[in-house]
Amino acid sequence: MTEKINDDALLALKIAFTYMPKAIEVTKYEYGDRYQAVLDHIEKVRETLLINDVDPDEVYGEIDPANTPNSSY
């Protein structure tokens, strides 16, 4: 997918991304045999955000600034 998505779909993707686990939180212990699929899904969403000129690490602050730490890094 290299096409940009419309604004409503992009907002929905940003919101969904804020509820996804961070890749560092995904372990085989927590997710069992599907941990790699979860990591692949996270990466796909990150790629789509980047294609749409959105920094995935800044999405949390944009969507929920009151509950976002000063730095996501």
Side-chain angles (χ1 to χ4, degrees), residues 4-69:
K4 292 189 177 192
I5 57 179
N6 70 48
D7 290 341
D8 289 338
L10 183 58
L11 178 59
L13 186 64
K14 288 178 182 180
I15 292 168
F17 184 69
T18 63
Y19 290 95
M20 293 179 81
K22 295 183 189 259
I24 197 167
E25 300 170 344
V26 178
T27 65
K28 192 168 185 175
Y29 176 76
E30 285 288 324
Y31 289 86
D33 292 336
R34 64 188 190 100
Y35 83 99
Q36 188 58 55
V38 174
L39 288 173
D40 293 344
H41 294 161
I42 293 168
E43 186 57 30
K44 184 64 174 173
V45 172
R46 289 180 63 85
E47 287 174 8
T48 303
L49 289 169
L50 288 169
I51 287 169
N52 285 275
D53 302 321
V54 175
D55 181 349
D57 295 320
E58 300 297 324
V59 170
Y60 301 100
E62 179 183 338
I63 298 300
D64 192 9
N67 292 314
T68 302

